[in-house]
Amino acid sequence: MSNHESDRAALRDLVDAYARLADRRDATGQAALFTSDARVSVFMGGADGGDPAPVIEGRTRLADEFGALRNYEQTTHFNGQSTVTIEGDDATGETYCLAHHLWTENGQRVLMVMSIRYHDRFVRDEGRWLFAERQLIVDWVDRRPTTA
């Protein structure tokens, strides 16, 4: 496998590890996939959704924010198509994700599906790819009652 192909595979592994750790509620593990000064921005309403809210900076704050997934009974993040552009020890990419969230509200089980695009900036640090910046763009949300 060429260096370029192995970098692509490592970047996809990184993106998939983020989703897997989210679904296992390992907020510390998720945060460890980021540089110490990384930024995560959330845009509700698509790319034209205005200013991000919130913007989270640094591993400690990221771990705290990622812990909010514990509010859901279960989640499943399913990563779809992705593209990456690699330039030496820097890379950018976009990954599509369908994020499923389940919880019970007033005795009713609720399912929320979010269509997300992640715009990522990656850096290679001591031979390991990490997220330097992640923009989470929510294109649409579907929330409805469901059955077990």
Side-chain angles (χ1 to χ4, degrees):
M1 185 181 297
S2 72
N3 282 347
H4 195 67
E5 290 170 342
S6 65
D7 285 337
R8 281 188 184 284
L11 289 166
R12 181 59 191 226
D13 286 348
L14 176 65
V15 167
D16 288 345
Y18 174 90
R20 186 176 52 257
L21 292 166
D23 292 336
R24 284 162 181 72
R25 308 300 189 271
D26 185 347
T28 303
Q30 268 185 288
L33 302 175
F34 289 78
T35 62
S36 61
D37 61 348
R39 293 174 45 100
V40 173
S41 306
V42 178
F43 295 85
M44 299 302 290
D48 298 327
D51 293 332
V55 176
I56 307 143
E57 296 185 61
R59 278 190 190 137
T60 302
R61 287 221 34 237
L62 288 172
D64 291 342
E65 291 293 325
F66 294 154
L69 285 176
R70 292 184 191 104
N71 294 329
Y72 300 102
E73 293 166 20
Q74 292 182 307
T75 61
T76 299
H77 291 73
F78 184 78
N79 291 326
Q81 67 269 30
S82 64
T83 58
V84 294
T85 302
I86 302 165
E87 296 180 14
D89 290 336
D90 297 298
T92 56
E94 178 181 58
T95 301
Y96 282 64
C97 176
L98 289 177
H100 301 74
H101 303 73
L102 284 170
W103 72 95
T104 302
E105 187 175 276
N106 300 321
Q108 172 64 57
R109 184 173 153 163
V110 178
L111 170 65
M112 177 176 64
V113 179
M114 302 171 77
S115 176
I116 298 170
R117 287 177 294 123
Y118 294 109
H119 287 188
D120 295 314
R121 188 171 55 82
F122 309 97
V123 296
R124 187 183 349 238
D125 183 28
E126 297 181 14
R128 179 177 174 225
W129 285 103
L130 298 170
F131 293 104
E133 183 173 6
R134 176 158 255 211
Q135 294 180 344
L136 189 156
I137 300 165
V138 179
D139 286 323
W140 55 263
V141 176
D142 183 18
R143 177 182 163 159
R144 61 183 172 265
T146 187
T147 58

mmCIF file with all atom_site columns, all heavy atoms in Angstrom, residues 45-63:
data_model
loop_
_atom_site.group_PDB
_atom_site.id
_atom_site.type_symbol
_atom_site.label_atom_id
_atom_site.label_alt_id
_atom_site.label_comp_id
_atom_site.label_asym_id
_atom_site.label_entity_id
_atom_site.label_seq_id
_atom_site.pdbx_PDB_ins_code
_atom_site.Cartn_x
_atom_site.Cartn_y
_atom_site.Cartn_z
_atom_site.occupancy
_atom_site.B_iso_or_equiv
_atom_site.pdbx_formal_charge
_atom_site.auth_seq_id
_atom_site.auth_comp_id
_atom_site.auth_asym_id
_atom_site.auth_atom_id
_atom_site.pdbx_PDB_model_num
ATOM 1   N N   . GLY A 1 45 ? -28.823 23.614 10.864 1.00 0.00 ? 45 GLY A N   1
ATOM 2   C CA  . GLY A 1 45 ? -29.446 24.238 9.697  1.00 0.00 ? 45 GLY A CA  1
ATOM 3   C C   . GLY A 1 45 ? -28.570 24.292 8.480  1.00 0.00 ? 45 GLY A C   1
ATOM 4   O O   . GLY A 1 45 ? -28.730 25.177 7.640  1.00 0.00 ? 45 GLY A O   1
ATOM 5   N N   . GLY A 1 46 ? -27.611 23.382 8.362  1.00 0.00 ? 46 GLY A N   1
ATOM 6   C CA  . GLY A 1 46 ? -26.798 23.304 7.156  1.00 0.00 ? 46 GLY A CA  1
ATOM 7   C C   . GLY A 1 46 ? -25.650 24.284 7.128  1.00 0.00 ? 46 GLY A C   1
ATOM 8   O O   . GLY A 1 46 ? -25.395 25.014 8.090  1.00 0.00 ? 46 GLY A O   1
ATOM 9   N N   . ALA A 1 47 ? -24.958 24.297 6.010  1.00 0.00 ? 47 ALA A N   1
ATOM 10  C CA  . ALA A 1 47 ? -23.761 25.121 5.850  1.00 0.00 ? 47 ALA A CA  1
ATOM 11  C C   . ALA A 1 47 ? -24.061 26.606 5.964  1.00 0.00 ? 47 ALA A C   1
ATOM 12  O O   . ALA A 1 47 ? -23.200 27.396 6.309  1.00 0.00 ? 47 ALA A O   1
ATOM 13  C CB  . ALA A 1 47 ? -23.094 24.823 4.510  1.00 0.00 ? 47 ALA A CB  1
ATOM 14  N N   . ASP A 1 48 ? -25.299 27.002 5.658  1.00 0.00 ? 48 ASP A N   1
ATOM 15  C CA  . ASP A 1 48 ? -25.686 28.408 5.764  1.00 0.00 ? 48 ASP A CA  1
ATOM 16  C C   . ASP A 1 48 ? -26.351 28.698 7.101  1.00 0.00 ? 48 ASP A C   1
ATOM 17  O O   . ASP A 1 48 ? -27.071 29.685 7.234  1.00 0.00 ? 48 ASP A O   1
ATOM 18  C CB  . ASP A 1 48 ? -26.631 28.793 4.623  1.00 0.00 ? 48 ASP A CB  1
ATOM 19  C CG  . ASP A 1 48 ? -25.961 28.646 3.261  1.00 0.00 ? 48 ASP A CG  1
ATOM 20  O OD1 . ASP A 1 48 ? -24.736 28.865 3.186  1.00 0.00 ? 48 ASP A OD1 1
ATOM 21  O OD2 . ASP A 1 48 ? -26.659 28.286 2.302  1.00 0.00 ? 48 ASP A OD2 1
ATOM 22  N N   . GLY A 1 49 ? -26.106 27.854 8.087  1.00 0.00 ? 49 GLY A N   1
ATOM 23  C CA  . GLY A 1 49 ? -26.768 27.958 9.384  1.00 0.00 ? 49 GLY A CA  1
ATOM 24  C C   . GLY A 1 49 ? -26.259 29.073 10.271 1.00 0.00 ? 49 GLY A C   1
ATOM 25  O O   . GLY A 1 49 ? -26.618 29.144 11.433 1.00 0.00 ? 49 GLY A O   1
ATOM 26  N N   . GLY A 1 50 ? -25.433 29.956 9.732  1.00 0.00 ? 50 GLY A N   1
ATOM 27  C CA  . GLY A 1 50 ? -24.951 31.091 10.512 1.00 0.00 ? 50 GLY A CA  1
ATOM 28  C C   . GLY A 1 50 ? -23.765 30.728 11.389 1.00 0.00 ? 50 GLY A C   1
ATOM 29  O O   . GLY A 1 50 ? -23.020 29.803 11.100 1.00 0.00 ? 50 GLY A O   1
ATOM 30  N N   . ASP A 1 51 ? -23.614 31.471 12.465 1.00 0.00 ? 51 ASP A N   1
ATOM 31  C CA  . ASP A 1 51 ? -22.503 31.247 13.386 1.00 0.00 ? 51 ASP A CA  1
ATOM 32  C C   . ASP A 1 51 ? -22.672 29.913 14.108 1.00 0.00 ? 51 ASP A C   1
ATOM 33  O O   . ASP A 1 51 ? -23.787 29.533 14.453 1.00 0.00 ? 51 ASP A O   1
ATOM 34  C CB  . ASP A 1 51 ? -22.418 32.374 14.415 1.00 0.00 ? 51 ASP A CB  1
ATOM 35  C CG  . ASP A 1 51 ? -22.039 33.703 13.781 1.00 0.00 ? 51 ASP A CG  1
ATOM 36  O OD1 . ASP A 1 51 ? -21.348 33.684 12.742 1.00 0.00 ? 51 ASP A OD1 1
ATOM 37  O OD2 . ASP A 1 51 ? -22.438 34.742 14.321 1.00 0.00 ? 51 ASP A OD2 1
ATOM 38  N N   . PRO A 1 52 ? -21.555 29.224 14.345 1.00 0.00 ? 52 PRO A N   1
ATOM 39  C CA  . PRO A 1 52 ? -21.650 27.951 15.051 1.00 0.00 ? 52 PRO A CA  1
ATOM 40  C C   . PRO A 1 52 ? -22.019 28.162 16.513 1.00 0.00 ? 52 PRO A C   1
ATOM 41  O O   . PRO A 1 52 ? -21.653 29.153 17.114 1.00 0.00 ? 52 PRO A O   1
ATOM 42  C CB  . PRO A 1 52 ? -20.238 27.376 14.928 1.00 0.00 ? 52 PRO A CB  1
ATOM 43  C CG  . PRO A 1 52 ? -19.357 28.572 14.775 1.00 0.00 ? 52 PRO A CG  1
ATOM 44  C CD  . PRO A 1 52 ? -20.182 29.583 14.024 1.00 0.00 ? 52 PRO A CD  1
ATOM 45  N N   . ALA A 1 53 ? -22.763 27.212 17.035 1.00 0.00 ? 53 ALA A N   1
ATOM 46  C CA  . ALA A 1 53 ? -23.087 27.248 18.463 1.00 0.00 ? 53 ALA A CA  1
ATOM 47  C C   . ALA A 1 53 ? -23.209 25.818 18.931 1.00 0.00 ? 53 ALA A C   1
ATOM 48  O O   . ALA A 1 53 ? -24.062 25.092 18.439 1.00 0.00 ? 53 ALA A O   1
ATOM 49  C CB  . ALA A 1 53 ? -24.390 28.005 18.696 1.00 0.00 ? 53 ALA A CB  1
ATOM 50  N N   . PRO A 1 54 ? -22.427 25.381 19.809 1.00 0.00 ? 54 PRO A N   1
ATOM 51  C CA  . PRO A 1 54 ? -21.278 26.058 20.410 1.00 0.00 ? 54 PRO A CA  1
ATOM 52  C C   . PRO A 1 54 ? -19.985 25.774 19.647 1.00 0.00 ? 54 PRO A C   1
ATOM 53  O O   . PRO A 1 54 ? -19.948 24.904 18.789 1.00 0.00 ? 54 PRO A O   1
ATOM 54  C CB  . PRO A 1 54 ? -21.217 25.402 21.785 1.00 0.00 ? 54 PRO A CB  1
ATOM 55  C CG  . PRO A 1 54 ? -21.677 23.993 21.530 1.00 0.00 ? 54 PRO A CG  1
ATOM 56  C CD  . PRO A 1 54 ? -22.749 24.111 20.454 1.00 0.00 ? 54 PRO A CD  1
ATOM 57  N N   . VAL A 1 55 ? -18.932 26.523 19.986 1.00 0.00 ? 55 VAL A N   1
ATOM 58  C CA  . VAL A 1 55 ? -17.579 26.216 19.534 1.00 0.00 ? 55 VAL A CA  1
ATOM 59  C C   . VAL A 1 55 ? -16.843 25.691 20.764 1.00 0.00 ? 55 VAL A C   1
ATOM 60  O O   . VAL A 1 55 ? -16.824 26.341 21.802 1.00 0.00 ? 55 VAL A O   1
ATOM 61  C CB  . VAL A 1 55 ? -16.851 27.465 18.976 1.00 0.00 ? 55 VAL A CB  1
ATOM 62  C CG1 . VAL A 1 55 ? -15.412 27.125 18.619 1.00 0.00 ? 55 VAL A CG1 1
ATOM 63  C CG2 . VAL A 1 55 ? -17.606 28.020 17.783 1.00 0.00 ? 55 VAL A CG2 1
ATOM 64  N N   . ILE A 1 56 ? -16.294 24.492 20.637 1.00 0.00 ? 56 ILE A N   1
ATOM 65  C CA  . ILE A 1 56 ? -15.640 23.837 21.765 1.00 0.00 ? 56 ILE A CA  1
ATOM 66  C C   . ILE A 1 56 ? -14.155 23.739 21.440 1.00 0.00 ? 56 ILE A C   1
ATOM 67  O O   . ILE A 1 56 ? -13.788 23.313 20.336 1.00 0.00 ? 56 ILE A O   1
ATOM 68  C CB  . ILE A 1 56 ? -16.240 22.437 21.983 1.00 0.00 ? 56 ILE A CB  1
ATOM 69  C CG1 . ILE A 1 56 ? -17.764 22.531 22.098 1.00 0.00 ? 56 ILE A CG1 1
ATOM 70  C CG2 . ILE A 1 56 ? -15.653 21.782 23.224 1.00 0.00 ? 56 ILE A CG2 1
ATOM 71  C CD1 . ILE A 1 56 ? -18.476 21.386 21.463 1.00 0.00 ? 56 ILE A CD1 1
ATOM 72  N N   . GLU A 1 57 ? -13.318 24.131 22.388 1.00 0.00 ? 57 GLU A N   1
ATOM 73  C CA  . GLU A 1 57 ? -11.873 24.121 22.142 1.00 0.00 ? 57 GLU A CA  1
ATOM 74  C C   . GLU A 1 57 ? -11.144 23.333 23.217 1.00 0.00 ? 57 GLU A C   1
ATOM 75  O O   . GLU A 1 57 ? -11.452 23.470 24.403 1.00 0.00 ? 57 GLU A O   1
ATOM 76  C CB  . GLU A 1 57 ? -11.329 25.548 22.118 1.00 0.00 ? 57 GLU A CB  1
ATOM 77  C CG  . GLU A 1 57 ? -11.897 26.372 20.978 1.00 0.00 ? 57 GLU A CG  1
ATOM 78  C CD  . GLU A 1 57 ? -11.258 27.736 20.884 1.00 0.00 ? 57 GLU A CD  1
ATOM 79  O OE1 . GLU A 1 57 ? -10.030 27.790 20.673 1.00 0.00 ? 57 GLU A OE1 1
ATOM 80  O OE2 . GLU A 1 57 ? -11.983 28.728 21.010 1.00 0.00 ? 57 GLU A OE2 1
ATOM 81  N N   . GLY A 1 58 ? -10.180 22.522 22.797 1.00 0.00 ? 58 GLY A N   1
ATOM 82  C CA  . GLY A 1 58 ? -9.308  21.798 23.708 1.00 0.00 ? 58 GLY A CA  1
ATOM 83  C C   . GLY A 1 58 ? -9.877  20.461 24.147 1.00 0.00 ? 58 GLY A C   1
ATOM 84  O O   . GLY A 1 58 ? -11.084 20.284 24.263 1.00 0.00 ? 58 GLY A O   1
ATOM 85  N N   . ARG A 1 59 ? -8.979  19.506 24.390 1.00 0.00 ? 59 ARG A N   1
ATOM 86  C CA  . ARG A 1 59 ? -9.385  18.135 24.732 1.00 0.00 ? 59 ARG A CA  1
ATOM 87  C C   . ARG A 1 59 ? -10.255 18.048 25.972 1.00 0.00 ? 59 ARG A C   1
ATOM 88  O O   . ARG A 1 59 ? -11.213 17.268 26.000 1.00 0.00 ? 59 ARG A O   1
ATOM 89  C CB  . ARG A 1 59 ? -8.140  17.268 24.939 1.00 0.00 ? 59 ARG A CB  1
ATOM 90  C CG  . ARG A 1 59 ? -7.554  16.753 23.688 1.00 0.00 ? 59 ARG A CG  1
ATOM 91  C CD  . ARG A 1 59 ? -6.483  15.717 23.993 1.00 0.00 ? 59 ARG A CD  1
ATOM 92  N NE  . ARG A 1 59 ? -5.769  15.403 22.778 1.00 0.00 ? 59 ARG A NE  1
ATOM 93  C CZ  . ARG A 1 59 ? -4.460  15.271 22.711 1.00 0.00 ? 59 ARG A CZ  1
ATOM 94  N NH1 . ARG A 1 59 ? -3.712  15.426 23.791 1.00 0.00 ? 59 ARG A NH1 1
ATOM 95  N NH2 . ARG A 1 59 ? -3.894  14.966 21.566 1.00 0.00 ? 59 ARG A NH2 1
ATOM 96  N N   . THR A 1 60 ? -9.940  18.809 27.015 1.00 0.00 ? 60 THR A N   1
ATOM 97  C CA  . THR A 1 60 ? -10.716 18.713 28.252 1.00 0.00 ? 60 THR A CA  1
ATOM 98  C C   . THR A 1 60 ? -12.163 19.124 28.025 1.00 0.00 ? 60 THR A C   1
ATOM 99  O O   . THR A 1 60 ? -13.094 18.422 28.420 1.00 0.00 ? 60 THR A O   1
ATOM 100 C CB  . THR A 1 60 ? -10.085 19.577 29.361 1.00 0.00 ? 60 THR A CB  1
ATOM 101 O OG1 . THR A 1 60 ? -8.738  19.126 29.564 1.00 0.00 ? 60 THR A OG1 1
ATOM 102 C CG2 . THR A 1 60 ? -10.864 19.463 30.655 1.00 0.00 ? 60 THR A CG2 1
ATOM 103 N N   . ARG A 1 61 ? -12.367 20.247 27.366 1.00 0.00 ? 61 ARG A N   1
ATOM 104 C CA  . ARG A 1 61 ? -13.737 20.697 27.070 1.00 0.00 ? 61 ARG A CA  1
ATOM 105 C C   . ARG A 1 61 ? -14.426 19.744 26.116 1.00 0.00 ? 61 ARG A C   1
ATOM 106 O O   . ARG A 1 61 ? -15.626 19.510 26.238 1.00 0.00 ? 61 ARG A O   1
ATOM 107 C CB  . ARG A 1 61 ? -13.729 22.113 26.479 1.00 0.00 ? 61 ARG A CB  1
ATOM 108 C CG  . ARG A 1 61 ? -13.403 23.144 27.533 1.00 0.00 ? 61 ARG A CG  1
ATOM 109 C CD  . ARG A 1 61 ? -14.208 24.432 27.481 1.00 0.00 ? 61 ARG A CD  1
ATOM 110 N NE  . ARG A 1 61 ? -15.580 24.361 27.060 1.00 0.00 ? 61 ARG A NE  1
ATOM 111 C CZ  . ARG A 1 61 ? -16.093 25.043 26.036 1.00 0.00 ? 61 ARG A CZ  1
ATOM 112 N NH1 . ARG A 1 61 ? -15.335 25.837 25.305 1.00 0.00 ? 61 ARG A NH1 1
ATOM 113 N NH2 . ARG A 1 61 ? -17.370 24.942 25.718 1.00 0.00 ? 61 ARG A NH2 1
ATOM 114 N N   . LEU A 1 62 ? -13.679 19.198 25.144 1.00 0.00 ? 62 LEU A N   1
ATOM 115 C CA  . LEU A 1 62 ? -14.272 18.245 24.215 1.00 0.00 ? 62 LEU A CA  1
ATOM 116 C C   . LEU A 1 62 ? -14.780 17.014 24.957 1.00 0.00 ? 62 LEU A C   1
ATOM 117 O O   . LEU A 1 62 ? -15.899 16.556 24.725 1.00 0.00 ? 62 LEU A O   1
ATOM 118 C CB  . LEU A 1 62 ? -13.263 17.831 23.140 1.00 0.00 ? 62 LEU A CB  1
ATOM 119 C CG  . LEU A 1 62 ? -12.930 18.886 22.092 1.00 0.00 ? 62 LEU A CG  1
ATOM 120 C CD1 . LEU A 1 62 ? -11.782 18.415 21.210 1.00 0.00 ? 62 LEU A CD1 1
ATOM 121 C CD2 . LEU A 1 62 ? -14.148 19.213 21.252 1.00 0.00 ? 62 LEU A CD2 1
ATOM 122 N N   . ALA A 1 63 ? -13.965 16.482 25.876 1.00 0.00 ? 63 ALA A N   1
ATOM 123 C CA  . ALA A 1 63 ? -14.389 15.303 26.641 1.00 0.00 ? 63 ALA A CA  1
ATOM 124 C C   . ALA A 1 63 ? -15.661 15.611 27.426 1.00 0.00 ? 63 ALA A C   1
ATOM 125 O O   . ALA A 1 63 ? -16.579 14.787 27.478 1.00 0.00 ? 63 ALA A O   1
ATOM 126 C CB  . ALA A 1 63 ? -13.269 14.842 27.566 1.00 0.00 ? 63 ALA A CB  1
#
